[in-house]
């Protein structure tokens, strides 16, 4: 750009410019200019540039066509170079050439070059031209120099609607809503009638509902019914949906006579914003049935974002293939997210492999999907692969892999990702910081968890919840209660269901039953107005059961405002096994059996727990009968999985697993330990009970 600036700068004193070429307007030159302009407008940029290079004589029309065509073709820097070459060749620019150069500067965000073209326009006598003035307003607006844009508009003798619309749009884009409204009022006071583009610029900003309704009325009065304009109607639909006025948005949409794809997309987004993705898909179906509008990449991306199951998502994937839209990165990323939400990991992997050049959004969507579907190892491997390709992960991708490390207890790997977050400067962001607190807590490192919490710039409720739950898991009840007090006093976030559950879990782990009951009965309801959920009741039942207060636990279950589910009875049954309470355990098993008949509970936990209670009491026949009943019901105990990390490699094992290459030596050591443990038991009952635990 330095060379470009040198070409555009005014000549120093005493410097004689090159002689101006005086071209004779022959019919051949005019014909070639028309061909050049036609090729540029048809989008055949390379053919047009080839013709331009072969032209023996180039007049200002040819140069202007080349500059405009390069800007339209997405090459504004090349357009500015071409304009500078025109100046160097001695061809004097006219007002159209200056407009084309200003448009290129605006597209490239080249404020300094634009200021030089502005100076050139002043020296050439074009500054008073209305169209040049509008281009200058657009240039300074796009480059964020709002004061300069306002000054240009104020100096214009007769500013038109285009200039005012550019200024109003610039104020809205910069978040200066008050200045936008002020410019709109000034425009009307000077007798310039706003058009629908002016009004929709204000509607697209953070416009209050009252002002938006007034603009709606003005559009009807000045422009005519919005039903005639898909552009104005789409802006009104989006405005009303953002302000929660869904009935008004639907009324505008229904009254629209010719709906374009933007209007359909606005209506789909309205339903998604309102939490009704099924209705958004229905709108997409209506658009297809109407047949007047074909879905583009934006419509397909919105529809894919509304898919909550795999079937409609695969149908939309087929439609994208049919329309040739799968190569569009927006559609590809939307498909990745859809397959991730639907739990179809195979489809996600196939889609990712089909993307030729995945961007940061693609990688992040795949990493998050792996984590959300329980494939933590794949999430970690994919982020490492992404990083090896030179792409820097954002805080969303890092939070997913850190959460995967937390679930897999991979402390060393988590520390490496923490170092990467420090390098990228996102360790203090809320998303990454919360994941770091959670990772260190679950890996048994509560001190680093607190340090990660302390360096966060901002904290939300999830930040405090991660810390409180971490203290609860480590039995640090005093620290958990202290963190809860800090959360309430600092105002970083309001306590929610997860917060209360963390406090109850801390009391449970520390055996503070009375304090936990006081918090549950008094603090949650009276001070915060929170209604206990089944998770809260299960935690309190576990707290009472662990302390042997089964009568209180049963009374609490009877007083619950909803029917106790599987979680409640399993929690009570686990406490019964801990204390060998056969009577209450049988009651819990009966309730679980009733729920099992209703299809609510089909896992093996209740059978295994009851079998363990019988075994603890020496009732081996009853324990065997429970096991047989479990087999007859077709319920199987899922094999337990354990893993260990050795030299940055994770080794996973299930019961009786022989797939590991060193399984023979492992089993030899296991049986040696088994024999040593048997030698430490002195009673027959202890040996039998030990055998039961080994079977479980």
């Amino acid at each position: 750009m330095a060379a470009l600036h040198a070409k555009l700068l005014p000549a120093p004193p005493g410097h004689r410019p090159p002689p101006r070429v005086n071209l004779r307007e022959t019919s051949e030159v005019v014909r070639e200019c028309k061909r050049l302009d036609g090729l540029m407008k048809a989008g055949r940029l390379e053919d047009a540039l080839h013709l331009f290079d072969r032209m023996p004589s180039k007049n200002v029309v040819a140069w202007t066509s080349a500059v405009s065509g390069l800007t339209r073709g997405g090459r504004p820097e090349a357009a500015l170079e071409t304009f500078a070459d025109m100046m160097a060749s001695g061809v004097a620019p006219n007002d159209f050439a200056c407009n084309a150069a200003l448009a290129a500067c605006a597209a490239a965000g080249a404020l300094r070059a634009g200021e030089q073209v502005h100076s050139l326009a002043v020296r050439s006598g074009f500054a008073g031209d209305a169209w040049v003035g509008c281009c200058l307003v657009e240039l300074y607006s796009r480059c964020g120099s709002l004061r300069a844009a306002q000054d240009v508009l104020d100096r214009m003798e007769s500013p038109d609607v285009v200039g005012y619309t550019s200024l109003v749009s610039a104020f809205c884009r910069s978040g200066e809503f008050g200045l936008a409204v002020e410019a709109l009022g000034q425009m009307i006071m000077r007798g310039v009638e706003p058009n629908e583009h002016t009004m929709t610029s204000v509607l697209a900003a953070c416009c209050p509902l009252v002002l938006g309704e007034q603009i709606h009325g003005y559009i009807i009065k000045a422009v005519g019914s919005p039903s005639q304009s898909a552009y104005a109607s789409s802006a009104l639909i989006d405005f009303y949906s953002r302000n929660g006025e869904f009935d008004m948005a639907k009324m505008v949409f229904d009254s629209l006579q010719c709906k374009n794809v933007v209007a359909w997309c606005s209506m789909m987004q309205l339903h998604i914003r309102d939490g009704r993705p099924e209705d958004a898909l229905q709108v997409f179906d209506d658009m297809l049935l109407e047949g007047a509008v074909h879905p583009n990449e934006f419509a397909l991306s919105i529809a894919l974002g509304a898919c909550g199951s795999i079937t409609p998502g695969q149908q939309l994937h087929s439609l994208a293939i049919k329309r040739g839209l799968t190569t569009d990165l927006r559609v590809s990323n939307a498909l990745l997210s859809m397959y991730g939400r639907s739990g179809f990991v195979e489809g996600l992997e196939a889609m990712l492999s089909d993307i030729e050049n995945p961007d940061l959004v693609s990688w992040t969507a795949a990493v998050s999907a792996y984590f959300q579907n329980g494939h933590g190892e794949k999430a970690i491997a994919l982020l490492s692969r992404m990083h090896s390709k030179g792409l820097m992960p954002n805080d969303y991708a890092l939070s997913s892999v850190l959460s995967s490390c937390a679930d897999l207890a991979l402390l060393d790997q988590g520390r490496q990702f923490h170092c990467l977050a420090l390098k990228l400067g996102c360790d203090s962001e809320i998303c990454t910081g919360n994941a770091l607190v959670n990772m260190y807590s679950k890996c048994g490192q509560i001190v680093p968890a607190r340090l990660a919490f302390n360096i966060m710039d901002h904290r939300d409720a999830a930040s405090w919840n991660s810390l409180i739950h971490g203290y609860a898991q480590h039995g640090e009840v005093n620290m958990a209660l202290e963190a809860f007090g800090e959360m309430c006093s600092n105002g970083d976030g309001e306590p929610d269901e997860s917060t209360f559950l963390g406090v109850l879990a801390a009391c449970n782990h520390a055996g503070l039953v009375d304090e936990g009951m006081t918090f549950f009965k008094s603090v949650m309801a009276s001070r915060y107005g929170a209604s206990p959920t089944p998770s809260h009741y299960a935690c309190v039942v576990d707290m009472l059961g662990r302390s042997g207060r089964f009568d209180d636990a049963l009374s609490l279950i009877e007083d619950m405002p909803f029917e106790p589910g599987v979680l409640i009875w399993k929690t009570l049954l686990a406490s019964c096994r801990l204390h060998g309470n056969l009577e209450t355990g049988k009651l819990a098993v009966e309730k679980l059996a009733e729920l099992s008949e209703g299809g609510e509970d089909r896992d093996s936990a209740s059978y295994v727990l009851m079998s363990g209670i019988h075994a603890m009491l020496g009732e081996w026949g009853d324990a065997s009968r429970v096991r047989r009943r479990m087999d007859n019901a077709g319920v199987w105990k899922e094999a337990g999985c354990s893993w260990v990390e050795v030299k940055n490699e994770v080794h996973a094992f299930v019961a009786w697993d022989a797939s590991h290459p060193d399984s023979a030596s492992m089993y030899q050591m296991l049986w040696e330990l088994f024999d040593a443990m048997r030698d430490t038991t002195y009673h027959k009952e202890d040996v039998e009970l030990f055998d039961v635990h080994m079977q479980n």
Side-chain angles (χ1 to χ4, degrees):
M1 294 296 287
L4 172 63
H5 295 156
K7 292 178 182 179
L8 293 179
L9 284 170
H15 175 77
R16 297 184 61 187
R20 184 163 296 175
V21 179
N22 187 13
L23 296 177
R24 187 169 57 90
E25 297 293 339
T26 63
S27 59
E28 182 180 355
V29 173
V30 173
R31 186 168 58 251
E32 287 186 339
C33 287
K34 288 183 177 179
R35 286 181 57 202
L36 176 65
D37 187 61
L39 289 171
M40 288 291 188
K41 290 180 178 178
R44 296 170 58 183
L45 184 59
E46 296 303 324
D47 293 337
L49 292 176
H50 182 65
L51 173 63
F52 179 76
D53 291 337
R54 288 189 294 105
M55 291 176 65
S57 299
K58 303 179 181 71
N59 61 6
V60 68
V61 177
W63 286 102
T64 303
S65 295
V67 173
S68 299
L70 285 167
T71 303
R72 284 197 301 269
R75 296 167 59 183
E77 292 84 1
L80 289 176
E81 291 285 353
T82 302
F83 182 77
D85 291 340
M86 180 190 77
M87 297 290 297
S89 71
V91 177
N94 58 12
D95 53 344
F96 294 101
C98 286
N99 291 340
L102 288 170
C105 293
L111 178 60
R112 186 180 174 191
E115 290 172 339
Q116 294 172 8
V117 177
H118 185 180
S119 176
L120 177 64
V122 171
R123 296 201 313 270
S124 302
F126 304 137
D129 183 82
W131 189 245
V132 172
C134 292
C135 291
L136 284 168
V137 172
E138 179 69 11
L139 161 73
Y140 289 123
S141 301
R142 288 289 184 91
C143 294
S145 185
L146 301 181
R147 183 181 295 275
Q150 181 76 64
D151 290 342
V152 170
L153 192 70
D154 292 340
R155 291 193 180 98
M156 292 173 64
E157 294 181 3
S158 301
D160 60 3
V161 66
V162 178
Y164 270 111
T165 300
S166 297
L167 185 63
V168 170
S169 300
F171 283 138
C172 292
R173 284 196 303 268
S174 302
E176 299 288 349
F177 182 71
L179 294 176
V181 174
E182 184 179 331
L184 184 63
Q186 179 187 1
M187 174 184 184
I188 296 174
M189 290 292 294
R190 296 183 68 172
V192 181
E193 290 292 332
N195 59 16
E196 60 178 351
H197 298 280
T198 316
M199 293 304 188
T200 52
S201 296
V202 180
L203 287 173
C206 297
C207 176
L209 179 60
V210 175
L211 180 60
E213 290 174 334
Q214 293 175 354
I215 291 176
H216 188 178
Y218 185 89
I219 291 174
I220 294 174
K221 178 182 177 181
V223 183
S225 173
S227 63
Q228 306 294 329
S229 171
Y231 183 81
S233 295
S234 299
L236 285 167
I237 292 168
D238 182 67
F239 163 74
Y240 281 123
S241 66
R242 280 189 283 108
N243 284 275
E245 297 291 330
F246 301 106
D247 293 336
M248 285 295 297
K250 193 172 187 310
M251 182 198 72
V252 174
F253 179 78
D254 292 338
S255 64
L256 185 58
Q257 295 178 2
C258 297
K259 303 178 179 71
N260 62 3
V261 69
V262 178
W264 287 103
C265 288
S266 298
M267 201 62 193
M268 284 191 286
Q269 288 176 323
L270 179 150
H271 289 299
I272 292 174
R273 230 181 242 126
D274 195 29
R276 297 179 293 175
E278 299 84 2
D279 293 339
L281 290 176
Q282 184 59 52
V283 171
F284 186 82
D285 288 340
D286 294 340
M287 179 179 68
L288 295 178
L289 290 173
E290 192 171 287
V293 176
H294 295 299
N296 59 8
E297 63 273 16
F298 298 101
L300 264 172
S301 299
I302 295 170
L304 285 166
C307 289
S309 59
I310 190 63
T311 302
Q314 288 179 321
Q315 293 173 352
L316 289 172
H317 193 174
S318 300
L319 179 63
I321 295 173
K322 182 180 178 182
R323 298 284 182 188
L325 295 173
T326 51
T327 55
D328 186 272
L329 204 51
R330 299 182 198 87
V331 177
S332 300
N333 292 340
L335 284 166
L336 282 174
S337 300
M338 181 274 297
Y339 282 123
R341 286 194 311 273
S342 304
F344 188 27
V345 178
E346 292 81 2
L348 169 86
E349 293 171 340
M351 191 65 233
L352 183 62
S353 64
D354 288 341
I355 301 177
E356 186 174 351
N357 293 307
D359 62 358
L360 181 60
V361 178
S362 312
W363 291 103
T364 302
V367 169
S368 300
Y370 275 138
F371 163 66
Q372 291 163 3
N373 289 281
H375 297 277
E377 301 94 337
K378 290 185 176 182
I380 295 170
L382 188 63
L383 188 131
S384 301
R385 177 180 155 202
M386 164 192 172
H387 190 231
S388 67
K389 291 181 177 292
L391 282 171
M392 294 295 110
N394 56 18
D395 52 339
Y396 299 105
L398 279 170
S399 67
S400 294
V401 295
L402 286 168
S403 299
S404 298
C405 292
D407 292 344
L408 299 172
L410 300 178
L411 179 59
D412 290 340
Q413 188 78 61
R415 283 171 172 162
Q416 293 175 20
F417 287 123
H418 188 180
C419 292
L420 179 59
L422 285 167
K423 181 180 178 181
L424 299 176
C426 61
D427 58 306
S428 58
E429 298 290 334
I430 287 182
C431 193
T432 306
N434 292 349
L436 283 168
V437 174
N438 183 49
M439 186 272 295
Y440 281 120
S441 298
K442 289 187 175 180
C443 291
Q445 302 291 316
I446 193 61
V447 174
R450 180 72 202 212
L451 291 174
F453 176 86
N454 289 340
I455 67 169
M456 292 173 63
D457 295 331
H458 303 283
R459 305 180 186 95
D460 58 4
S463 312
W464 289 100
N465 292 345
S466 298
L467 184 65
I468 292 171
H469 279 272
Y471 281 133
Q473 291 164 5
H474 289 78
E476 299 282 355
V477 61
N478 292 329
M479 299 300 294
L481 294 176
E482 182 180 331
F484 177 72
E486 290 179 29
M487 176 185 183
C488 297
S489 60
N490 290 349
D492 290 335
E494 286 293 323
D496 55 16
E497 295 178 359
S498 180
T499 314
F500 301 134
L501 188 61
V503 174
L504 290 172
C507 295
N508 186 9
H509 291 171
L512 301 179
V513 182
D514 294 333
E515 291 81 352
M517 291 299 298
T518 301
F519 182 84
F520 178 73
K521 291 183 176 180
S522 302
V523 178
M524 281 180 59
S526 61
R527 186 177 302 178
Y528 299 101
S531 299
T533 65
S535 296
H536 296 122
Y537 275 101
C539 187
V540 176
V541 168
D542 184 57
M543 183 164 52
L544 293 170
R546 284 176 180 273
S547 62
R549 294 166 58 174
F550 290 99
D551 292 338
D552 293 337
L554 290 172
S555 298
L556 180 68
I557 293 173
E558 291 176 1
D559 295 338
M560 285 171 55
F562 40 77
E563 287 297 321
V566 171
L567 178 63
I568 300 295
W569 293 114
K570 279 185 181 177
T571 303
L572 183 63
L573 184 57
S575 298
C576 292
R577 178 179 178 178
L578 180 66
H579 290 277
N581 190 330
L582 183 59
E583 181 180 356
T584 307
K586 287 181 177 179
L587 173 63
V589 168
E590 291 175 3
K591 297 295 184 180
L592 286 169
E594 293 176 5
L595 294 173
S596 177
E597 291 175 0
E600 188 177 343
D601 179 36
R602 295 293 298 169
D603 72 282
S604 60
S606 57
Y607 294 97
V608 173
L609 288 170
M610 195 62 199
S611 174
I613 294 175
H614 285 300
M616 289 181 67
L617 298 175
E619 300 174 353
W620 305 109
D622 292 335
S624 299
R625 279 192 291 273
V626 171
R627 290 282 185 169
R628 284 196 298 271
R629 192 162 68 246
M630 173 181 169
D631 294 337
N632 295 334
V635 178
W636 298 92
K637 181 179 183 297
E638 185 178 353
C641 178
S642 60
W643 61 89
V644 62
E645 182 182 2
V646 179
K647 296 181 179 179
N648 292 328
E649 184 178 359
V650 177
H651 303 267
F653 306 93
V654 297
W656 302 107
D657 188 2
S659 60
H660 196 277
D662 295 328
S663 59
S665 58
M666 292 177 184
Y667 276 112
Q668 181 180 354
M669 177 60 68
L670 177 65
W671 289 117
E672 290 177 3
L673 291 171
F674 179 73
D675 292 338
M677 293 170 71
R678 286 179 63 91
D679 292 341
T680 62
T681 57
Y682 299 100
H683 302 287
K684 180 176 181 294
E685 293 80 3
D686 294 335
V687 176
E688 291 174 340
L689 182 58
F690 174 75
D691 290 338
V692 170
H693 282 298
M694 290 297 293
Q695 293 171 8
N696 291 341

